[in-house]
Amino acid sequence: MSNMADQRNPPTDAVRSHRVIVIRGDGIGPELMDAALLVLEAVGEQHDDFVLDYVEHEAGAALFRTTGVSLRPETMEAIKEADALFKAPVGLPEVRHADGTEAGLLGGLRVGLDTYANVRPVRLMPGVDAPIKAAPGSIDYVIVRENTEGLYLSRGKGVGTTEVMTDTMLISRKGTQRIARFAFELARSRNGAPSDGRRRVTCVDKANVLSSLAFFRQIFDEVGVDYPDIEQEHLYADAAAQELVQRPGHYDVLVMENLLGDILSDLGGATVGGIGLCCSANVGDDHAYFEPIHGSAPGLAGLDQANPISQILTAALMLDHLGETSAADSIRRAVDRVLDRAIVVLDASGRPIGGTRAAARAVADAIRLA
Ligand code: IPM
Ligand code: MN
């Protein structure tokens, strides 16, 4: 799975090739990307039936600072033609628009690629000293965050005066139908909630307060009629913040509006040891891209201290999407193994003792030894 043919196992006609655009990002982004590419190289040595064909593009805050754009049109075109975009975190706190919002983020990707489903797994891995004391695997749910509308559709479009500002929440029938359907299909592909093995989709909203989210719930229920095999329930978002701390094992797939998903996925990440362990997929009908859920942590940049596991598990999500599930599983198994055997140990702030590079090498070695 590299661009170079393995001498012993030369690729045959049957070798699948996947074109992957790589964005190395800002802050800790480049070192996380190096770590993940090192792990993918080890995966490639074990799998000679596919290759990843990488094409690197520059994007993010550093690009914005020098050119005034964070994403070039030709990069967007390349992403649309590729099989996937693999990106590291972007953004720098000092690179901002006049209204105070960050200029280096690639928020336009989600709407531009119509990747309406933001898939955020929350799984308690072995060996992690998480604030919630529970057995590995006893927390294993996926937040499906609607990614193209909700309150964040207002991104860059907030209106007001010097005295008042408003952003608008937009929930559409079509947008909610497709995200609900995505959540139900995802639940069908999984093994159910850890606590009782039942396949379940939980609709998280504030239907008690906001008409827009009452509408979201109504559409969820309508779509749910097509999925009688999946247990269906509703949960208010504030109660969800409590539930995901007190009773996380009950949850399997949770579907929600954009802002709620942004917030609750960080909360979920914290419960299983921190967002430095959390990966995500942005999936649409035609395009997909893959990134950690956290930011670019510029204060840690270049120090070889950041946790690369989020980016490494993001690579696994990408391989799943490309249909290379056995390669993806080998990454997840290797990550579990190095954590379980304390080959990689995280300190109190979630950073790998021994550094970013050493952690990545440990995961790569675990893949080779598997
Ligand atoms: C995330 C991030 C982004 C978001 C930021 C960086 C724009 O927090 O992916 O969760 O708000 O969606
Ligand atoms: Mn976020």
Side-chain angles (χ1 to χ4, degrees):
M1 196 194 58
S2 68
N3 286 327
M4 283 187 301
D6 182 323
Q7 296 300 308
R8 287 156 302 153
N9 298 305
T12 66
D13 289 348
V15 172
R16 301 177 291 279
S17 173
H18 308 290
R19 165 76 57 93
V20 174
I21 307 299
V22 169
I23 292 176
R24 300 170 67 77
D26 301 303
I28 56 172
E31 56 205 283
L32 296 191
M33 186 54 77
D34 284 343
L37 293 178
L38 190 85
V39 168
L40 284 169
E41 199 179 304
V43 172
E45 291 163 18
Q46 312 295 316
H47 295 261
D48 55 11
D49 49 352
F50 73 98
V51 294
L52 295 184
D53 174 15
Y54 301 116
V55 183
E56 204 175 306
H57 282 249
E58 202 190 333
L63 183 69
F64 185 90
R65 199 161 42 196
T66 53
T67 67
V69 293
S70 57
L71 185 73
R72 294 189 177 103
E74 57 265 37
T75 298
M76 195 64 174
E77 285 317 302
I79 294 167
K80 285 182 175 166
E81 277 161 27
D83 298 305
L85 161 63
F86 187 39
K87 81 173 263 298
V90 292
L92 293 171
E94 68 277 15
V95 181
R96 290 187 186 268
H97 295 296
D99 69 354
T101 59
E102 278 193 61
L105 305 176
L106 306 181
L109 278 180
R110 292 176 179 166
V111 173
L113 298 172
D114 202 25
T115 49
Y116 58 86
N118 189 184
V119 180
R120 302 193 150 188
V122 176
R123 181 170 68 92
L124 182 58
M125 293 183 281
V128 173
D129 186 22
I132 290 190
K133 302 300 165 213
S138 66
I139 303 174
D140 188 352
Y141 59 83
V142 180
I143 289 181
V144 176
R145 164 184 176 187
E146 202 295 321
N147 217 13
T148 52
E149 49 183 55
L151 193 56
Y152 286 5
L153 188 63
S154 192
R155 188 192 294 264
K157 298 180 204 145
V159 292
T161 66
T162 53
E163 301 312 311
V164 53
M165 286 299 300
T166 63
D167 284 295
T168 306
M169 165 100 84
L170 183 138
I171 302 289
S172 73
R173 176 178 297 279
K174 177 173 164 256
T176 308
Q177 280 172 339
R178 66 182 184 175
I179 198 67
R181 208 164 280 292
F182 187 97
F184 283 116
E185 293 292 336
L186 179 63
R188 273 192 180 156
S189 75
R190 290 169 47 87
N191 297 321
S195 69
D196 58 8
R198 296 173 72 161
R199 296 196 164 94
R200 175 178 294 125
V201 179
T202 306
C203 174
V204 176
D205 57 51
K206 283 294 289 183
N208 50 340
V209 178
L210 296 175
S211 319
S212 54
L213 295 179
F215 183 61
F216 187 90
R217 178 182 286 203
Q218 177 200 321
I219 306 296
F220 169 83
D221 288 343
E222 287 171 16
V223 172
V225 171
D226 290 343
Y227 296 88
D229 51 317
I230 309 286
E231 197 175 295
Q232 307 174 19
E233 63 182 15
H234 305 130
L235 185 63
Y236 295 134
D238 46 354
Q242 175 174 270
E243 280 282 295
L244 293 178
V245 173
Q246 292 184 340
R247 204 167 63 120
H250 170 77
Y251 295 95
D252 178 12
V253 174
L254 302 100
V255 62
M256 62 197 77
E257 179 274 334
N258 206 334
L259 171 74
L260 297 181
D262 190 15
I263 296 169
L264 290 174
S265 56
D266 272 31
L267 181 144
T271 65
V272 295
I275 56 176
L277 295 166
C278 295
C279 54
S280 79
N282 298 270
V283 185
D285 293 333
D286 301 318
H287 308 293
Y289 73 96
F290 302 85
E291 60 184 351
I293 79 166
H294 58 75
S296 63
L300 279 187
L303 299 178
D304 192 44
Q305 287 182 13
N307 186 348
I309 291 179
S310 57
Q311 193 79 47
I312 290 168
L313 291 174
T314 295
L317 278 186
M318 177 173 73
L319 290 174
D320 280 334
H321 179 82
L322 294 172
E324 306 298 351
T325 47
S326 105
D329 287 340
S330 74
I331 294 182
R332 283 185 284 261
R333 273 198 308 273
V335 169
D336 279 11
R337 195 173 315 122
V338 299
L339 291 170
D340 194 24
R341 298 190 184 167
I343 300 167
V344 173
V345 178
L346 305 176
D347 71 12
S349 10
R351 298 175 199 164
I353 294 167
T356 311
R357 281 193 288 266
R361 278 196 299 267
V363 176
D365 288 346
I367 288 170
R368 292 193 178 98
L369 293 173

